[in-house]
Amino acid sequence: MNELYHLFLRTERERNLYERARNLAERFQKRARWHDEHAEFPFENFDDLKEARFLSLTVPKSYGGEEISLYEFLLIQETIAQGDGATALSLGWHLGIIMNLAETKKWPLSVFERICREVVEKQILLNSAHSEEATGSPARGGKPETTAEHRSGRWVISGRKTFTSLAPALDYFIVSATIQETGEVGNFLIPKTAAGLKIEKTWDTLGMRATRSDDVILENVEVEEEALVEMLSLPKAKSHAQGWLLHIPACYLGIAIAARNEAIAFAKTYQPNSLSHPIAEVPEVQRKIAQMDIHLMAARHFMYSIADQWDRYPEKRAQMKEELAAVKYIATNTAVDVVDLAMRIVGGKSLFAENPLQRHYRDVRAGLHNPPADDITVSIVAGRALQ
Ligand SMILES: Cc1cc2nc3c(=O)[nH]c(=O)nc-3n(C[C@H](O)[C@H](O)[C@H](O)COP(=O)(O)OP(=O)(O)OC[C@H]3O[C@@H](n4cnc5c(N)ncnc54)[C@H](O)[C@@H]3O)c2cc1C
C-alpha cells in the first residue's frame, strides 16, 4: 500500500473505492495537460466517470445510489485530483450537492427523488449557479440580482451568473434568484434545455481552466412552479455546518500530493554531473521532502478526522462549522505551500509547460477563492472563541 494511504484506507469498501478512483485518475492524468492548455471541459473524463457510475456515488441507496460517506467522498476526491484537479473539483460540486440535499432534505421529496433517479439511470450532472458579478462570493451574503417573477403559475427568471463550474456539461442548473414579489431568495432548478438559458465562454483563467466555470445568462427563462426547490436564508455565512464542502480541501490536497510525488520522483532520478548521486541524497532536498510530507500529514489527518467525526456523530454536526472551515483553511494553504516546495526541489525545470508542476501551481491558487474564503473562516473561528 502507498505510504500516503496506509492509515487512511480502513475498510475493504474504502480500498475498493480508492482503487476505482485511482484507475480513473491514471487515465485523467494523461489528458490533463491538453484540457488545461486548451481550457476545454474534460468531457472524456466525465464519460469515463459515467461509465464507472461515479455520478451516483452520493445518491441514497433507497434511490439506487451507493450512498457513500463523507470520508469515502473525500478519499475519492483526493485521488481523482491527483490525476486532474479540474475534473475532481467539478465532480465534487455535483456529488456534494446531492450528499447535502440527502442530508438536509431541503428540497421537496418528490423532486429530489426524481433527480436522484435521473442521476442513477442517466448519470446526469447538476451544479449550483450562485455567484454573480455584484455579489462576489455568495458565502458573504450578497443578495442575487437575478430575479424570479411569478407569472400565471410559472416562474420567469432573468439574470447573469458567474463562475458556474461544468457549465457546458450540466443537465441542470441550480440558480439562486430574488423573488420580485417578496424580496426573498430561492433556488430554482432549471434544465439546460430551458429556452432563454445560454452560456457565455468567459472562463479564461490562470488555474482550474478545465472546470469551464463560465457565465450563465438567463433571459426570461420560464419554468414551472415546482422549479422553486428551496428558500434560502441570507447571509449564507451564518448558514448551517456543511460537511459536503470538504470536497474542496480534498481536491486541493490531491493536487498537492501529485506535486509532491512528481518532486520525489524527480529527486530520485536527477543526478547533475556535479554530484556522484541523485539530488535525493542532498540534505536540503531531504529537508524539503520532509516538510512537504509533514505539511500533508497535518492537513490530511485533520481533514479525515473531521470527516470521520461528521460521519460518526450526526448529532454533533451543528457544532462543527468552525472545524469544517478550519480544514478548508489549512488544506488550501497547505496545498499552496507543498506545491511551492515541490517546485523548489525540481528547480527551473518546474517552469516548463511540459512539467505538470506549473499546472499544479496555478490550480492550487484557485482553492483560496472557493468557499469559505480565509477571511470568512477567520471571522467565524474568532467569533466562536469570543462568544
Ligand atoms: C475554480 C472555481 C470554481 C467555482 N465554481 C463555482 C460554482 O460552480 N458555482 C458558483 O456559484 N460559484 C463558483 N465559484 C465562485 C466562488 O464561490 C466565489 O464566488 C468566487 O471565487 C468569488 O469569491 P471571492 O471571495 O474571490 O470574491 P468576492 O466576494 O468579490 O471578494 C473579493 C475581495 O473582496 C473582499 N470582500 C468582498 N465582499 C466583502 C464583504 N462583504 N466583507 C469583507 N470583504 C469583502 C474579499 O475579502 C476579497 O478580498 C468558483 C470559483 C472558483 C475559483
Side-chain angles (χ1 to χ4, degrees), residues 89 93 127-128 130-131 136-138 140 163 165 213 369-371 375:
L89 189 68
W93 296 130
N127 186 25
S128 305
H130 284 169
S131 298
S137 172
R140 300 182 197 285
F163 289 98
S165 296
S213 304
H369 312 299
N370 289 141
D375 61 299

Side-chain angles (χ1 to χ4, degrees), residues 101-117:
L101 289 171
E103 183 206 329
T104 58
K105 303 188 170 44
K106 283 194 166 169
W107 284 12
L109 205 59
S110 58
V111 180
F112 183 56
E113 175 169 355
R114 174 172 64 80
I115 292 296
C116 282
R117 299 227 181 263

Side-chain angles (χ1 to χ4, degrees), residues 68-86:
I68 59 170
S69 67
L70 180 61
Y71 188 101
E72 292 165 339
F73 180 27
L74 305 188
L75 274 176
I76 286 167
Q77 287 301 117
E78 192 189 60
T79 308
I80 298 277
Q82 288 169 51
D84 181 29

Side-chain angles (χ1 to χ4, degrees), residues 329-344:
Y329 179 103
I330 289 176
T332 47
N333 285 293
T334 293
V336 169
D337 291 344
V338 168
V339 175
D340 178 72
L341 283 163
M343 292 181 84
R344 286 172 194 263

Side-chain angles (χ1 to χ4, degrees), residues 86 89-90 93 97 127-142 161-167 170 174 176 203 205 207-209 211-214 248 252 363 365-376:
L89 189 68
S90 303
W93 296 130
I97 287 169
N127 186 25
S128 305
H130 284 169
S131 298
E132 293 185 8
E133 185 69 32
T135 62
S137 172
R140 300 182 197 285
K161 295 292 181 179
T162 53
F163 289 98
T164 309
S165 296
L166 307 111
L170 288 176
I174 305 164
S176 56
W203 191 246
T205 50
M208 284 295 186
R209 291 164 59 76
T211 61
R212 289 267 26 124
S213 304
D214 285 310
I248 299 168
Y252 292 101
D363 282 348
R365 289 295 311 179
L368 304 176
H369 312 299
N370 289 141
D374 287 357
D375 61 299
I376 293 180

Side-chain angles (χ1 to χ4, degrees), residues 137-297:
S137 172
R140 300 182 197 285
K143 203 167 187 181
E145 294 193 352
T146 297
T147 56
E149 197 186 341
H150 205 215
R151 260 191 239 156
S152 327
R154 291 173 74 74
W155 292 104
V156 182
I157 299 168
S158 297
R160 176 189 276 263
K161 295 292 181 179
T162 53
F163 289 98
T164 309
S165 296
L166 307 111
L170 288 176
D171 296 284
Y172 287 98
F173 298 78
I174 305 164
V175 174
S176 56
T178 300
I179 297 169
Q180 276 190 335
E181 291 81 352
T182 62
E184 293 172 296
V185 178
N187 265 347
F188 294 81
L189 180 66
I190 305 183
K192 69 169 177 194
T193 48
L197 183 150
K198 60 177 196 248
I199 293 164
E200 198 173 297
K201 289 184 104 182
T202 47
W203 191 246
D204 185 9
T205 50
L206 174 102
M208 284 295 186
R209 291 164 59 76
T211 61
R212 289 267 26 124
S213 304
D214 285 310
D215 284 11
V216 177
I217 299 165
L218 304 122
E219 281 172 354
N220 293 315
V221 171
E222 263 195 53
V223 280
E224 72 276 20
E225 194 125 33
E226 299 73 52
L228 173 58
V229 283
E230 178 183 351
M231 297 305 294
L232 302 175
S233 54
L234 297 176
K236 289 212 55 194
K238 295 213 167 47
S239 65
H240 65 286
Q242 301 185 69
W244 72 280
L245 283 176
L246 290 192
H247 80 90
I248 299 168
C251 168
Y252 292 101
L253 287 175
I255 299 171
I257 290 172
R260 172 255 189 210
N261 291 344
E262 192 70 35
I264 291 175
F266 179 85
K268 282 180 171 169
T269 51
Y270 179 57
Q271 183 173 334
N273 66 9
S274 56
L275 290 175
S276 56
H277 49 74
I279 63 162
E281 290 176 39
V282 172
E284 175 54 20
V285 170
Q286 291 188 356
R287 191 183 66 83
K288 289 193 174 83
I289 289 172
Q291 267 188 321
M292 289 194 299
D293 273 13
I294 290 167
H295 283 323
L296 283 170
M297 279 181 221

